[in-house]
Structures are given as C-alpha cells and as structure tokens.
DNA sequence: CCGATTTTGTTCTCACGTTCACAAGCTCCT
DNA sequence: AGGAGCTTGTGAACGTGAGAACAAAATCGG
C-alpha cells in the first residue's frame, strides 16, 4: 500500500533477483567455506559458524544469503549441502565454464598447472601463445596452441571466459581479439587498463597494486611508532573543536 | 593551508591525513598511469587525461587526489613527475620494502621470476620453502632457502611483507610463523581465511573467486538471452540505472 | 590590466554497503 | 501442550563512496 503510492521505491530499488555486487563477491567465499565444512562431515551450520569460517560477521552473511531466498531454518541453521548447492547454482558453477588462457609465460604456466579450477566450476580448454617456440609444449594433459586458433576454439568449445597473462603491451590487442571471437568475460593479469565494449565484464588481478596497498598501511604503522615526527593526532590537546557558532546541529 | 585551523564538523570528519580505503586502493593505479605518461614524455596532464589513463572518472580522481593535498594547478592540470613523486611518497614506495615469498611451487616460481616488483617499490629478499628438494634451487639471481631460516632473514633484512604461496593446509601455520617473526603485512594466495592478530594486515588474491564472480555475471547474460525462463527483467520500463555490470572496470 | 577560458578543489546529494537489533519461527524439554 | 531457548530473516540507522555541479584559482589573449 505505502509502496505503490511513492513512485520512488525508496530504500532498496532492488531489481528482481538483483544481488548487490558486494554480495556477489562474497558468495564464492561462502561456497568455499561450505565445501570445507562439508568435507569435515558437518551437516548443519549456524550463520555464526559459517561467518567464522568465511571470515565475515554473521549479520552480513545472513543478509547476503537472504538475497538468494530463505534457505535456513530458524532455531537450527543452514543445511550445509543444500545451501552449498543453492549458492553454486546462483553463481552458476553447477556446471563447468570453458576458459582459455592467453600468454603461457611464467604466470600462464602456473595457472595451467593449477588443479584447483576444475573442482570449482571451470574447465581450461586451451592454452594459447603467440611464441612459436612455446607452441606444442605440453603442460599437464594440455598442449600450448597457436593464438591464431583462438576463434575456432571459442566457437567449438563455447568459451565465454578468457584469462590474459601476456605482457602489458599486447594485452589490449589480445583482449580485442578475445572479445571479437565472442568471449564476454575477461580476467586480466597484465598491468594495464583494458577497454572493452559494454556487455563484456573485466576483472583485474594486479599483484603490484596489492603490495602497494599493503605498503601504504605498513608505512603508517612504522610512521606512528618509529618516526619521531609530530605526534600526529592533533587532537588530545584540549580542543574538541566543535566550535563557535551553533553549527553543531549539522547532519 | 588554512585547513588546519578550521575543522568542518560536517560531513566526513576525516581524521587528519586519513585517506579513505577506496582511495588508497586507487592510488597505485594512478601511480601506474602517471608512470606510463611520464614514459611517453608527457609532462603535464589534466584530471581528464589522468582519469582516462587510469580507467576512472575525473571527478573521482580529483577527489582522490585532493586527500593528498593540492598538487594541481587550476587551469593547467598536474605536473606528471611531481604528482608521481607525491603519490609514491604517500603510498610509501619511494624506497623499497623487503619481501619474502613462502612456498616456491608453481605460483611461487612465477612470482620469483617476475621482474615487475623491483620497479614498483619492492625487493624480494628471500624465497623460502619447506621441501628439501627445492632448497638450493636457483631462480634468477636468487636461491630457494629453508623456511627454518625465516626468523633470521626477517630480522636481518627488516622484512615487513610476506607472500604466502603454499597450499591451503600449511598456510595458517606459515602465517603464524611470519607474524611471530615480525612480519606485519601478508599477501595470501592460498584459498583459506587466515586469522591474524590486530595490527597485521592481510590481503588475499583468489583466482577461483575472481572467475566465479565472472561466472555469475556470465550466467545472467546467457540467462537473459538464451534461457526461455521467466521473462526476468521486469525492469527496462523505467529504471535506467542498474549498476550496469557491463563495460565497468571490474575490480 | 582585464576579461574569457580552462581546470582544479570542494560541496552537495544520492546510492550503496554495513551493522544493529528484534520479531518471527523452529525445536526441544518439561 | 506450552513455554524456554535459539537462530533466521529483515527493517532501520548509520557510514562510506560516487558523481554532478560549481566557485575559486590560474593562464592567456587583447
Ligand atoms: N609472473 C608474475 O609473477 C607476475 C606478477 C604480476 C603481474 N604479472 C603480469 O602478468 C603478465 C604475465 O607475466 P609473465 O611473468 O607470465 O610474463 P612472461 O613474459 O613470462 O609471459 C608472457 C607470455 O605471453 C606471450 N605473448 C606475448 N605476446 C602475445 C600475444 N600477442 N599473443 C599471445 N601470447 C603472447 C609470450 O610469448 C609469453 O609466453 C604480465 O603482464 C605481467 O606484468 C606477472
Ligand atoms: N598455481 C596457480 O595458478 C594457483 C591459482 C590459484 C590459487 N593458487 C593457490 O596458490 C597456492 C600455491 O599454488 P601452487 O600451484 O604454487 O602450489 P604448489 O604445490 O606448486 O606449491 C606449493 C609450495 O609450497 C611448499 N610448501 C608446502 N608446505 C610448506 C610449508 N609449511 N612451508 C613452506 N613451504 C611449504 C611446497 O613445498 C611447494 O613448493 C595454493 O594454495 C593454491 O591453491 C594457485
């Protein structure tokens, strides 16, 4: 009743089944926690248990799960297997997605050798490189193939996800080729900003950036403790600011 | 500089020099963009130029930079070299941070071989592993050393950042050892939630999670287009917003 | 020297995300 | 059966972040 009257559906404006991006990013974490619990033979878990296993607080976890539906039982908790399936279904990893990796250097080799993707909803269908010396090399049960075969492979295997592990220079070109071939999701390790048409999703993993973020916080730690600078915290010395004219009401 | 005198009790109540976390995460991106511009011989850049190079919008970029101070010139733009130095200083990468990598398997090898860290403020001082077969192996100009030497190395080289590339099982144990040895920042690649005492920063890189996030959006794309399910998308008839998963900059 | 032009730095507003707090609902015990 | 004890699901308060818009500074042409 009150809803219909107001044209702006005030608070959430949530599209039907539209799950907030922040929640989407945590679902895989919950999925992993549930898998771990399941492997430990635990059949039921409370939001508190799950939250601990996933490293978040329980209110957030419950709210996140509530976007998927009501899969818990009050007074009891969540059935681990059931919830796991529901999350896997929501993410879309109940069946495998075909993935190509482009650029089989240091990082590409590591990814190709990694067994963890297969068990988490992904199937690497091709390792591609432009270097003739690499083509034909065997890695595990796969063989490095020519990047020129990209279009055929994408078409044949219905590949929708591409991983870019080439140097920064060729990355945009590789990206364009991937998109042109029909790939609509890209995971990029090269330290460049890729531009793609709307409708194509990009995620970037950048280790230098991660380290630099750590460095920022690290610097502040040592700065406060070690450097004999100004004590920082200019407060402490009496004035609680909150000043003069009665502006205090603000906000 | 009239800043210091008046505290606006209004909106942000930002601690002196406290930079929002979202901004901190973008500073390295700006730094990289500036380095690229500098390498191209460009001496001055407007916020629009910089924003394009960094893949963000210019208002956000300007606001981010304003937390560091007023380093631009109205009507002109930013001096590339000067701003680059200021950001590097703010992040704390004007001199190198010592880093150890623990677990020299597939991923550890790739990281050890990577030359990009040295130029971005980090110096890898040791490659550590527990496997006797690996110890002594040379990678580039470094040698894999016994994890047991950790404490000595941390002390000798004042290591504050540790990278964990061991399997999930040993990761928490390795983490505890790192923390006990004095490491206060950790970059974790193992698919587990590590727990650390307060004061220690953790960042996690999880490739499976990245792929699963892509899969979620991928599923919705094909779901909307292909699956003859419920019409879905009751919207389209008004709200144009919809965070548009599209061409967005993923991370 | 002044006004037109450019571009920054900042303010304001809205959207998104997090956390609290609690009613609703389930199980189990008496 | 009924109440005690848990735990979920969610409404509401709060905090943070994004983007539009604009006034304040700087340059440049006349
Ligand atoms: N290795 C790491 O630990 C690490 C860390 C952070 C970032 N990165 C980034 O990841 C990317 C890969 O790093 P790497 O160390 O594996 O580099 P690498 O040089 O070892 O491998 C790059 C591979 O890409 C191939 N390649 C080049 N151009 C290509 C093209 N046009 N089409 C197809 N293949 C092409 C090369 O033949 C090579 O095999 C780089 O952008 C690097 O900056 C790597
Ligand atoms: N390789 C990838 O592409 C990839 C992708 C995603 C996630 N990961 C994760 O990254 C981690 C490393 O992956 P990987 O493929 O390099 O594994 P790996 O098995 O090749 O290497 C692990 C290394 O850790 C060492 N190690 C084990 N226990 C140790 C201990 N207690 N102390 C010191 N060293 C120890 C092992 O000797 C081995 O050399 C894993 O947790 C994996 O799940 C890897």
């Amino acid at each position: 009743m009150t809803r219909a009257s107001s044209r702006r559906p005030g608070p959430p404006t949530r599209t039907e089944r539209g799950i907030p991006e922040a929640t989407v990013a945590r679902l895989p974490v919950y999925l992993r926690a549930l898998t771990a619990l399941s492997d430990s033979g635990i059949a039921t878990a409370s939001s508190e248990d799950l939250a601990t296993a996933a490293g978040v607080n329980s209110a957030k976890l419950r709210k996140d799960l509530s976007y998927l539906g009501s899969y818990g039982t009050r007074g009891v908790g969540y059935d681990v297997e059931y919830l796991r399936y529901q999350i896997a279904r929501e993410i879309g990893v109940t069946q495998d997605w075909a993935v190509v990796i482009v650029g089989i250097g240091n990082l590409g080799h590591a990814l190709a050798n990694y067994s963890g993707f297969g068990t988490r909803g992904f199937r690497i269908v091709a390792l591609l490189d432009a270097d003739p010396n690499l083509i034909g090399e065997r890695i595990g049960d796969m063989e490095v193939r020519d990047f020129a075969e990209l279009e055929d492979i994408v078409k044949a295997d219905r590949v929708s996800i591409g991983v870019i592990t080439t140097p920064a220079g060729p990355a945009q070109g590789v990206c364009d080729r991937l998109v042109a071939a029909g790939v609509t999701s890209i995971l990029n390790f090269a330290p460049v900003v890729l531009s793609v048409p709307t409708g194509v999703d990009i995620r970037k993993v950048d280790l230098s950036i991660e380290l630099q973020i750590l460095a920022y916080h690290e610097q502040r730690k040592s700065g406060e403790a070690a450097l004999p600078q100004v004590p920082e915290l200019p407060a402490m010395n009496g004035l609680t600011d909150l000043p003069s004219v009665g502006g205090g009401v603000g906000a």
Side-chain angles (χ1 to χ4, degrees), chain A:
Chain A
M1 190 57 87
T2 51
R3 283 189 146 292
S5 62
S6 71
R7 55 197 79 255
R8 276 286 160 277
T13 317
R14 184 76 52 212
T15 320
E16 194 72 18
R17 305 244 63 193
I19 297 178
E21 194 53 33
T23 296
V24 170
R26 283 187 294 266
L27 290 180
V29 180
Y30 303 154
L31 185 58
R32 178 166 292 157
L34 286 164
T35 303
L37 290 174
S38 175
D39 290 348
S40 312
I42 295 173
T44 303
S46 70
S47 63
E48 203 66 54
D49 299 336
L50 265 176
T52 303
V56 302
N57 91 22
S58 63
K60 193 177 347 191
L61 180 133
R62 285 201 301 279
K63 175 149 285 195
D64 284 343
L65 294 185
S66 77
Y67 290 119
L68 313 192
S70 284
Y71 295 135
T73 309
R74 297 179 188 216
V76 177
Y78 300 89
D79 180 285
V80 171
E81 276 311 318
Y82 182 62
L83 182 58
R84 183 158 80 109
Y85 175 76
Q86 294 300 337
I87 293 181
R89 193 176 49 74
E90 190 71 38
I91 297 178
V93 291
T94 43
Q95 85 272 5
D96 284 356
W97 294 89
V99 175
V100 292
I101 301 178
V102 184
I104 312 301
N106 291 313
L107 206 50
H109 269 87
L111 295 180
N113 275 318
Y114 184 53
S115 58
F117 298 133
T119 62
R120 294 194 178 95
F122 303 94
R123 185 168 39 95
I124 296 174
V125 299
L127 310 175
L128 303 177
D129 205 293
D131 182 350
N133 297 327
L134 276 173
I135 295 169
E137 182 188 328
R138 296 202 68 81
I139 301 177
D141 60 347
M142 304 211 57
E143 191 169 301
V144 179
R145 297 168 67 180
D146 192 330
F147 182 57
E149 299 182 51
L150 173 70
E151 285 76 11
D152 295 339
I153 294 169
V154 168
K155 198 150 287 177
D157 289 314
R158 306 189 65 77
V159 176
S160 47
I161 300 180
V163 177
I164 298 179
T165 49
T166 66
Q172 181 66 60
V174 166
C175 174
D176 293 343
R177 279 281 294 276
L178 284 168
V179 170
V183 169
T184 46
S185 288
I186 290 175
L187 181 56
N188 176 36
F189 287 84
V192 283
V193 176
L194 296 179
S195 72
V196 291
T198 49
V200 176
D201 280 311
I202 289 235
R203 292 192 70 87
K204 184 178 168 185
V205 174
D206 194 313
L207 312 186
S208 294
I209 287 180
E210 297 299 324
L211 286 177
Q212 290 182 345
I213 294 170
L214 286 175
Y216 171 83
H217 294 297
E218 197 62 39
Q219 185 183 41
R220 313 210 98 206
K221 290 181 209 164
S222 41
E224 282 164 19
L227 286 183
Q229 282 297 91
V230 179
E232 204 89 22
L233 284 202
M236 275 297 99
N237 58 358
L239 26 125
T240 355
D241 51 293
L242 241 298
S244 37
V245 195
V249 184

